[in-house]
Structure formats: C-alpha cells, structure tokens
C-alpha cells in the first residue's frame, strides 16, 4: 500500500498502481452468492446512497423474473456452487415482479436474501400477500435484511428523511409478527465503536422483540462509509501479507451481481455489488464471462472490502 506518485494517478491502470507495483487481484474461488439488482428506483432518496437510488434514478431498470431464471439456469450449467441468491436495489419491492423473482430461486432450493428499507413498497397489500405465501411455503430459507442505518431515530432520519425510522420499524414489526427471518444493515458514519453500535441495536431488538442477533456480523451488518473524496491506499500483491488478509476472503471471490442498464437488451454481470456504474467492472452477459479474476482497481475495493472487511452477503 503506497502513496501516489506525482506523475501518475491512483486507480488508473488495471494491472499497475501509481507507484508501479503489481495491483492485487481476486480470483473467483467459489461462487457462493449471485446478486440481482432489481432496479435503482427507490421510494426515498438517502443522503449517502452508494448507488444513488431515488424515485427518479432508473439507470438500472427493472429486472424480470424470466431474466432471473436464465441466470439460475446458468448456475447449473457452469456448476457454480451458489447457495444464496440476493436481491438489492433501489428498493426491490418496487419491482412489479419481485415476488415471482424471489419465488423462482426458492423453488430451486436456494437461500434468498432480500435487501429492503421495509417501508411502504413492502407494506402494500399485494406485496404482503405474496410474502406471506412465500413465508408459508419456504420458511427460513428467505431472509429480509432491513436497512436501519442507526438504532437512534434522529440519526437514521438524518440519512433517510423525517419519519423514515418509524416507517421502517412498522415494516419490521409486520415481518416479526408474521414470522419472517430478519437481519439488519447499519452504517458507521457517526463514529460509534463496533461494541457501542451492537449494544445499541441489541437494546432496540430486545425492546421490539426482533429475533436478530446484534453480535453476529451476518445478522447485524455494519457497513463502513464509502466516501469518494477520501484518499485511500491502492492494494498491491504485497498487501495481503502486510494486512494478514486473503484474496479468498474478499466479496468478489464468492459473488457476482447481475444488472440491466437502461436501454440495454440484456442484463450484464458485474464483479461487485458496489460498482454498478464502473464500466471496468462489467464482465459480460453470461456467468461464463464472469469467471475471470477481478483487479482491485477502485477505491471501494480498498476502503470497503480489503481495509473495511465488509461483505454484502450473509
């Protein structure tokens, strides 16, 4: 991990860092999770949304259930050891085919993880009826991970808008009362220690009767902030030993994400859930094309994954 050379730019060459060292890369060593971005439209606009979701952003358009099925077929054809299918957005429950999209991987035996803000799109009667049917048939193989940025109302609303906390808690109570398996995703932008954050979430979960383990990083996920303006080191091949990290532990060693861009005929596969708009991380239209190594040529690779140790999967 080295400082920038005056004559070169960081993250500008796929193979070489600004200091001329070999850039680290990550091989797909065992695909555990295939993500689908259901579309970037969302019912709210957050202050620091990494994918810039909003009621107006349709840069990634709605995926369809048949497109999901095509990639489920490819998992079998390529013999990928995928156990989990993830759905993210935008807000997935705004996609008109989301219930059928969730059903299809569940019917094939996959675990399914859906990221949601648990607000009004989830609370529509049609969506609730669909979820209840899925819950009755597939039980604990379906997990809904709710974005609850902070356990305090004022800080969550600072990020998502006045009233967002209460609306999300209402959605979580509905999920609780109907026996759904829940997880929570929080953020660390307010400087709380990990221990303090988990204690705060734990107190909230206990008070609300939410069956969520605050100490389990897979059930209470605390994401580091992704600030484009912060200077971060580039990751070289030597960094693995220096940091005592392994390439196999990185998110792109075990996952890929499928998106559909506005105006495109077909979805494409990306190396990472965090880099939907970075063309250098687009790998092709098939899982076969997505089996090549990923060069860690973005600041999020360094700050979020290698140094932050975060993962989108459960």
């Amino acid at each position: 991990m080295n400082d920038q050379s005056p004559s070169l730019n960081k993250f500008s060459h796929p193979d070489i860092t600004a200091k001329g060292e070999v850039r680290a890369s990550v091989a797909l060593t065992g695909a555990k999770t295939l993500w689908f971005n259901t579309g970037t439209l969302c019912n709210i606009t957050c202050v620091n949304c990494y994918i810039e979701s909003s009621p107006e952003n349709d840069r990634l358009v709605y995926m369809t259930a048949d497109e999901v099925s095509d990639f489920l077929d490819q998992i079998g054809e390529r013999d990928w050891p995928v156990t989990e299918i993830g759905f993210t957005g935008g807000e997935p429950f705004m996609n008109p085919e989301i219930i059928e999209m969730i059903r299809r991987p569940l019917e094939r035996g996959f675990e399914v993880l859906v990221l949601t803000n648990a607000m009004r799109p989830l609370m529509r009667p049609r969506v609730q009826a669909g979820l209840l049917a899925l819950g009755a048939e597939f039980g604990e193989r379906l997990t809904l991970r709710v974005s609850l940025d902070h356990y305090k109302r004022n800080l969550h609303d600072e990020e998502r808008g006045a009233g967002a906390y209460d609306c999300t808690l209402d959605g979580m109570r509905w999920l609780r009362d109907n026996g759904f398996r829940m997880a929570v995703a929080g953020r660390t932008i307010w400087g709380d220690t990990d221990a303090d954050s988990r204690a705060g979430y734990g107190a909230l979960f206990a008070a609300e009767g939410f069956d969520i383990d605050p100490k389990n990083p897979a059930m209470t996920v605390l994401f580091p902030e992704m600030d484009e303006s912060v200077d971060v080191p580039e990751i070289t091949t030597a960094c693995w030993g220096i940091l005592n990290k392994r390439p196999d532990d990185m998110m792109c060693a075990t996952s890929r994400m499928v998106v559909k861009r506005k105006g495109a005929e077909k979805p494409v596969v990306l190396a990472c859930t965090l880099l939907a708009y970075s063309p250098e991380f687009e790998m092709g239209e098939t899982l076969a094309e997505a089996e090549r190594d990923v060069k860690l040529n973005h600041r999020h690779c360094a700050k979020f994954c290698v140094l932050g140790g975060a993962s989108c999967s459960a």
Side-chain angles (χ1 to χ4, degrees), residues 258-286:
V258 182
V259 306
K260 190 171 184 181
R261 302 196 188 284
K262 188 175 183 177
E265 291 186 9
K266 295 182 178 181
V268 293
V269 187
L270 307 182
C272 178
T273 60
L274 307 177
L275 301 170
Y277 306 131
S278 299
E280 65 270 27
F281 289 90
E282 186 172 310
M283 308 190 83
E285 295 179 350
T286 66

Side-chain angles (χ1 to χ4, degrees), residues 2 5 154 170 175 202 218 241 313:
N2 293 280
S5 166
N154 65 310
D170 285 344
L175 293 169
S313 298

Side-chain angles (χ1 to χ4, degrees), residues 53-86:
S53 297
S54 75
E56 292 80 35
N57 181 7
D58 61 352
R59 291 172 68 183
L60 302 182
V61 297
Y62 286 148
M63 194 81 63
T64 69
D66 286 344
E67 287 166 339
V68 169
S69 290
D70 176 62
F71 282 95
L72 299 180
D73 292 340
Q74 291 183 51
I75 289 173
E77 293 164 2
R78 301 302 300 172
D79 197 27
W80 279 23
V82 169
T83 59
E84 177 186 59
I85 300 299

